[in-house]
Amino acid sequence: MNITLNGVSRQISSPPLTPLLRVLRNELNVVSAKAGCEAGGCGACTVLVDGRPQRSCLTAVGSLNGAAVTTLEGLGTSENLSAVQQAFVHHYAAQCGFCTPGMVVAATAYLDAGGSDDKEAIQEALGGHVCRCTGYLKIVNAIAAAATQSEFDLTITAEEPNVVVKTGGR
Amino acid sequence: MSIDVLIPESVDAAAEAYGDGRDVTVVGGGTIVVQLMTQGWLRPTRALMLSKAGLSYVRKSGSAVTVGAMTPVTDVADLFAPLGPCAANVGDNEIRAQATVGGNLCAPTPPEHPSGDLQGPLLALDASVRSTGAGGESTETVEEFLTHRDARLVLDLSFEEPVAGAFAALDRPHAHHPTALAVSAVKAGDGSIRLAATGAGPTAIRLSSAEAAADDPEAAGQAALADADLQDDALASAWYRERMLPLLVQRVLNEIKEV
Amino acid sequence: MKAVGARLPRYDGVGHVTGQTQFVDDVRVREMLWAKALRSPHHHAAITRMDTSKAEAMPGVEAVITHADVPLLEYGHLSALGIPADEPLLAKDEVRYKGQPIALVAAEDADTARAGVEAIEIDYEERPTLFDVRKAFDDDAPTVHRWGNWYPHFEGEMDRRQIRKGNIEEAFEAADTIVSGVYRPAAIEHAPLETQVSMVVPEPDGRLTVYSCTQALYFSLGVMAAHLQVPLNRLKVVGGTVGGGFGGKVDTASETVTALAAMKANRPVKWRWTREEEFLASSTRAPWHMEIIDAVTSDGWILGRKMLTLHDSGAYARFSPYGLTKHSFHHTGAYTIPNLHFDGYVVFTNRVPTTAMRGFGVTSVSFATETHMSRIADVLGLDPFEVRLKNANRINDTSPNMITYPDPSTVDVVLSIAEATDHSLDDAYMSMSRAQRSGDMLPEHLAAQIGEGHEHASLHALVHGVDNDSEGN
Ligand SMILES: Cc1cc2nc3c(=O)[nH]c(=O)nc-3n(C[C@H](O)[C@H](O)[C@H](O)COP(=O)(O)OP(=O)(O)OC[C@H]3O[C@@H](n4cnc5c(N)ncnc54)[C@H](O)[C@@H]3O)c2cc1C
Ligand code: FES
Ligand code: FES
């Protein structure tokens, strides 16, 4: 079977009942979606299936033949961050970063579907996503900001910073 | 440990693949079965995936409604009470979009708490279930179906839009907190009232004694206790449910009275 | 100081939002095996028989690790502080909590590893359990630990952490009222989004590369080297990217056993706990039982405090003696009480061992002391802010363990809360500062405790050797 992963057609050889999360991580080596619970409870594994957010840990890959799957890797790169990604950095919405892939994916789907900066609506849309670090406020603020703004200033504002911003992997 | 997986592309093919249902694990939306397999608690030898079987639809004709087994819970969330509000109260945004109505009706009862929230409204609506399996296709009431649901493949559910309906549940502290107790009420065209509860037994139950006393909501609330088998579990104690059930019954009865 | 006051992006922010941050589970190596653990299904039981031969013979199973494979079975995390070892890396003849690891199976995939675990034959003989710290001291209580039901190895082989300061009898004789309270905060699971995970890669030069989610990398290094009985330079521990810890990743939870499996199979091995295992078997914040009895005056001075603390350590000691020590130093909260009689016990139960979480040992006592301050005000019919401000730590007041506070901020904090909540106070309180006590704020009972300079009690120095950074987020 086949899926289109982040715009590229990929052959899948895992058995059809394999959860999409394991196919992504173990067969295709695309690891942004995280295994926080593998039981639908945390949201860290969320990816877009035909543009809609879905728990990859609960999705048997056999149901996806021909579908378009988008992971965090498909939403923006360190050189070309999306508005949601920029807002998450600017508003410190990613602390340990483990929930972040699911949060950014779900937030992107929310805004793509016409979601506004209404904070209650944002909370409702992301109500299934657990973050243990931030207390959620920064995440909601970031999404609200991304709803109204397309660019964020990510530069360091101290004159001679002694902190180097790392972009890209390690 | 290779598993025989069938992905039929029509209702007929699904019925044929299911056969008499022996040793077949049905995968609907997968929100329950996939995690059971991941944890190793469910090890199917044959699986039937319904994703392409053409069972996702909501058909309306006059006051009659038919919902395909593979219809996502989201798609019934804007229907009338009690089904609509109950569906809107299931899990979170993403779970509702993946979870199916058929899967909810067939949700296994885990040891830690009851599940299958939609069973209550469907029972109150006196929905009929069209299913297939040994002996071929058949149609029966939800009430009958719930007594032997392991051996059937659900195709769709049909029910009438009621004159009035109401749904009341204990508040959930978080989208992933299952509903500890909920009551559904339906008033039919002839004025008769049907009541059902989820969280008051391993599957949803009909509250017949409460129905008989429905004219007096307070008395009906007390009568409901005779219908229920309230248990302690991870969500709530029997003690707490005992105090809440009469209140929820009163609330839904008062609501449909106003109509 | 260019960074202070400036808006600095997180150094790892861009990596997090693009999915490029590499957590342990994201590291890819070839030929990796997956591990699954056999864990105790009982809260307390003897292991009467164990046979791993069927698991070992299964196709796809590459290593089965039990206690017999561990060079040094018991090692204490805080051996450096003189806290002796009591916990086997893998259970040998007894299990003391549900979820305690007994064996690890490494196999080609997770399902095979799980099948291997199920193929281990094991017999248990269940033993009586203890879950309530208050019952640990009863004559008929079951014995749950080989040292008895409470930790007996404080300095001088004392069986408790004890603080005596001033003259407690006189304080109670002088009191107008006695205010007592019992405070029992429950256990809390840290529930980090990333469950416990490690991957160990045997390198061609004989070293092991250890990828760990630990938040205490040097603990992991030392603890592993001790159990494995290898020099430190055989271990290269790669850490630094923690998917949430909050104290729960201080314990060296998984990497040592994973390393043994990797050494035995001579292949990389990953052991990632399921969410269920995380809730069942990862350490939690301790439940505490605290009893406070205060000698107070009608105008709101606390003359003396008697306190009993039972710290539920779970089945083994781990860091609890240290946590209780910190707790004891803070048992007056942010307030100065000159006469003290504190006894604290580290109590063993058949629960999962407990550990650090956000202010190890101190959060519990802050909860108790702050609640108790309000209770005192309530009993006396006084303003809770005023009772706090009176007894608040001031410059050169001394702590329970005889530290002189050089610059305590209690007064400022209480005043700013009053301001934030629009709580009106008399001018005498509004104008209060942290300056050394004098006048009305220096009643007779507080005169003798005022210290000079910074005397560090030796115990404090000892404990503070490991205080920094070992339990941060
Ligand atoms: C985070 C989370 C939150 C949840 N919250 C709720 C909640 O609030 N309320 C609630 O009720 N449930 C909840 N659930 C449980 C579950 O999502 C729902 O019950 C859902 O409707 C199940 O449908 P499914 O299609 O995903 O089921 P599946 O997992 O596909 O199947 C469930 C069971 O039904 C059987 N089955 C599925 N379809 C059919 C069919 N057509 N014919 C015969 N048998 C079939 C399967 O074999 C299986 O035994 C939650 C689940 C998660 C993960
Ligand atoms: S890993 Fe899928 S929801 Fe947690
Ligand atoms: S940032 Fe750590 S869980 Fe959300």
Side-chain angles (χ1 to χ4, degrees), chain B residues 1 37-41 43, chain C residues 111-112 114-115 118 274 276:
Chain B
M1 278 194 294
M37 290 188 290
T38 302
Q39 312 298 336
W41 294 330
R43 295 170 195 190
Chain C
D111 287 342
T112 310
R114 185 159 44 218
E118 286 164 7
T274 63
E276 192 195 18

Side-chain angles (χ1 to χ4, degrees), chain A residues 93-100 103 130-134 139, chain C residues 193 243-244 246:
Chain A
Q95 204 161 310
C96 80
F98 207 79
C99 69
T100 312
M103 293 283 184
V130 176
C131 174
R132 202 55 175 142
C133 302
T134 60
I139 293 172
Chain C
L193 267 235
F246 322 113

Side-chain angles (χ1 to χ4, degrees), chain A residues 39-41 58, chain B residues 25-35 50 69 73 89-92 95 98-100 102-104 106-108 115-118 152-154 172 175-176 178-179:
Chain A
L58 299 180
Chain B
T25 298
V26 178
V27 182
T31 57
I32 295 173
V33 271
V34 173
Q35 55 170 304
L50 295 178
V73 172
N89 198 43
V90 165
D92 62 60
I95 295 294
Q98 186 172 353
T100 67
N104 201 288
C106 299
S115 72
D117 283 3
L118 300 184
R152 303 297 293 174
L153 176 70
V154 178
R172 301 182 307 150
H176 291 171
T179 306

Side-chain angles (χ1 to χ4, degrees), chain A residues 21 34-46 55-58 128, chain B residues 95 176, chain C residues 193 275:
Chain A
L21 177 64
K34 303 286 181 255
C37 66
E38 295 191 290
C42 73
C45 68
T46 306
R55 298 277 184 273
S56 63
C57 71
L58 299 180
Chain B
I95 295 294
H176 291 171
Chain C
L193 267 235
R275 178 56 57 188

Side-chain angles (χ1 to χ4, degrees), chain A residues 25 36 38 85 90 132, chain C residues 7 26 28 190 272 275:
Chain A
R25 297 184 60 85
E38 295 191 290
Q85 289 171 322
H90 182 82
R132 202 55 175 142
Chain C
R7 192 172 204 296
D26 301 338
R28 270 15 204 180
H190 309 78
R272 191 188 78 209
R275 178 56 57 188

Side-chain angles (χ1 to χ4, degrees), chain C residues 29 32 52 64 88 127 175 178 180 225 291 312 321 335 343 353 378 388 393 420 435 446 449:
Chain C
V29 294
M32 189 195 77
T52 58
V64 178
R127 293 190 170 161
I178 289 166
S180 62
E291 297 179 10
D312 189 340
Y335 310 96
D343 285 331
D378 208 33
R388 282 179 169 78
N393 289 335
L446 284 177
Q449 58 87 34

